[in-house]
Amino acid sequence: MNPTRSFAVSSLTAAVLAAGVLASQAQAATTVDLSYNGAPDPDKNAVHVFATNLKELVEEKTNGEIELKLYPNSMLGEEQERMEQTMNSPSLNIASFAGMSPLVPEVFVSAIPFLFDDFESARTFFDEGQYWQAVEDALRERTGVELLAVVEEGGFLAFTNDEKPISSPSDFEGLRFRAMDPSQVALYEAFGASGTPIPWTEVYMSLKTGVADGQMNPPMYIIMGSLYEVQDYLTLANIQYSDQFLVGNGAMIDGWDEAMREAFMEAVAEANQMAREHNETRVDERIAYLEEQGMEVIRPSEEELAAFREQGQPAYLEWLGEQDIDQSFIDMALEDAGMTHLAE
């Protein structure tokens, strides 16, 4: 055979083989939807920071075999719709308490007021505690959904309102608050206020029109929702750790081979660590921004915080006892948090 023709045939064969490999890789790539709340703005939405980091890391660590498609701003529906999608289709979702609690009401136990002193104690509770492992097991057993990570959404919860400065429980008397879920209703009622569940997408207008006087969120969400435009007072009570939950369809994850699962879980752990570091460095900056926007910031004293704790914890524990939650979950959580005295 002519050497030139031989080279041409060999080159053509190599090109065909390469095209076949590329086509095979393209076919192997799996696109997975990841839905979550809030705008695709890294300066205002810590959950978006986590989601974008996760997308990049998953695609890198799986060599492009898994590609994430991001759906911010509740584009695929409100909380319970998105959880149903995660149960019934190969997808991922970052859910709040409003999405998780109808399936595992035991998650409310992690929102006991003043359960954590700081970020480190909260992270240890979720990363290493027996209670949280039991919640993960319960969710998988009941729904087939895998609980993959606890995602910080911007610090500890703070109160806002447009009526008066709040520095003690008695200041809540007669006020109406937007609640994310029934547990927040119970907390407001413990302080003498009323609470009404309102979806995040309706919070700004509810506050603007007076449907509610106030709400509770970390500074990040107050900025993201432009709530400083309709709220005058910010109380840094640090009453609850602010978190959401990365969940995934269990059948989808089980269907990946071991190497793929390991690469995916490595990406989740790395993205979560990056988000935590990013979040913690921004907390003071966000509070300062809210002050610049005209909000009056109230920093309760130790005595005032103790009053919130002494009134809020027993009332919340009483509410938990009415929720048909097995006492073992409460006992495990209090033990993990080093607060077994509350169960006495």
Side-chain angles (χ1 to χ4, degrees):
M1 182 182 286
N2 183 305
T4 303
R5 185 169 184 273
S6 176
F7 175 76
V9 170
S10 297
S11 299
L12 179 61
T13 302
V16 170
L17 287 171
V21 169
L22 288 172
S24 173
Q25 288 178 338
Q27 288 172 358
T30 300
T31 300
V32 178
D33 294 345
L34 170 57
S35 55
Y36 52 98
N37 295 320
D41 184 337
D43 292 328
K44 295 180 179 179
N45 189 355
V47 173
H48 177 68
V49 172
F50 170 79
T52 51
N53 287 339
L54 182 62
K55 172 181 169 62
E56 183 177 324
L57 287 164
V58 164
E59 292 171 7
E60 172 192 313
K61 291 179 181 293
T62 65
N63 297 316
E65 291 186 60
I66 299 176
E67 297 177 354
L68 299 189
K69 186 170 184 180
L70 305 185
Y71 288 91
N73 272 332
S74 307
M75 288 170 63
L76 298 184
E78 297 291 355
E79 291 284 350
Q80 294 190 31
E81 290 176 85
R82 302 203 318 266
M83 284 300 290
E84 288 173 8
Q85 292 162 14
T86 310
M87 291 166 62
N88 298 318
S89 63
S91 58
L92 298 168
N93 175 36
I94 302 175
S96 75
F97 276 76
M100 287 278 289
S101 57
L103 305 171
V104 273
E106 293 87 352
V107 73
F108 284 134
V109 177
S110 67
I112 293 171
F114 299 101
L115 195 60
F116 312 115
D117 292 329
D118 49 32
F119 282 114
E120 183 180 356
S121 60
R123 292 163 182 168
T124 300
F125 177 90
F126 289 106
D127 292 347
E128 303 174 15
Q130 57 177 345
Y131 154 76
W132 195 246
Q133 183 60 58
V135 171
E136 291 180 6
D137 293 344
L139 181 66
R140 180 63 195 257
E141 183 180 332
R142 294 171 194 172
T143 67
V145 170
E146 196 78 39
L147 212 171
L148 301 165
V150 175
V151 182
E152 288 179 4
E153 58 175 0
F156 284 75
L157 295 178
F159 297 114
T160 71
N161 84 100
D162 65 349
E163 293 293 320
K164 59 184 176 181
I166 291 177
S167 58
S168 67
S170 61
D171 294 328
F172 277 89
E173 191 68 40
L175 297 181
R176 297 165 298 176
F177 277 78
R178 174 263 176 172
M180 178 175 64
D181 55 53
S183 75
Q184 288 192 349
V185 174
L187 190 61
Y188 292 130
E189 290 178 350
F191 296 144
S194 61
T196 303
I198 297 172
W200 168 250
T201 50
E202 299 173 20
V203 171
Y204 181 93
M205 193 55 64
S206 297
L207 296 170
K208 184 176 182 179
T209 58
V211 171
D213 301 312
Q215 59 88 53
M216 178 167 63
N217 257 307
M220 182 208 77
Y221 260 70
I222 297 165
I223 294 170
M224 182 170 67
S226 300
L227 304 187
Y228 52 82
E229 296 177 355
V230 290
Q231 299 279 270
D232 296 328
Y233 306 102
L234 171 69
T235 300
L236 301 177
N238 291 350
I239 197 161
Q240 291 170 325
Y241 176 70
S242 175
D243 53 358
Q244 294 191 36
F245 312 97
L246 176 67
V247 294
N249 180 275
M252 172 186 71
I253 296 168
D254 290 345
W256 297 334
D257 62 38
E258 186 175 351
M260 184 89 79
R261 280 197 303 274
E262 285 184 5
F264 175 78
M265 291 310 298
E266 280 179 16
V268 169
E270 197 171 319
N272 208 19
Q273 183 58 32
M274 291 168 67
R276 286 174 172 183
E277 290 170 3
H278 172 86
N279 175 55
E280 194 165 354
T281 60
R282 300 292 300 278
V283 171
D284 291 341
E285 176 186 322
R286 289 173 177 139
I287 294 169
Y289 176 83
L290 292 171
E291 281 190 291
E292 290 168 8
Q293 302 310 305
M295 294 195 80
E296 180 181 333
V297 177
I298 297 95
R299 295 174 171 83
S301 67
E302 285 300 318
E303 293 77 15
E304 288 168 334
L305 289 175
F308 278 118
R309 183 168 53 249
E310 288 163 12
Q311 194 162 328
Q313 279 182 343
Y316 192 90
L317 284 167
E318 182 180 344
W319 178 83
L320 281 177
E322 299 167 354
Q323 302 311 305
D324 198 27
I325 294 172
D326 192 287
Q327 183 64 36
S328 65
F329 281 88
I330 299 171
D331 293 342
M332 282 189 288
L334 294 177
E335 183 177 342
D336 289 343
M339 301 180 73
T340 50
H341 63 280
L342 286 181
E344 296 169 0

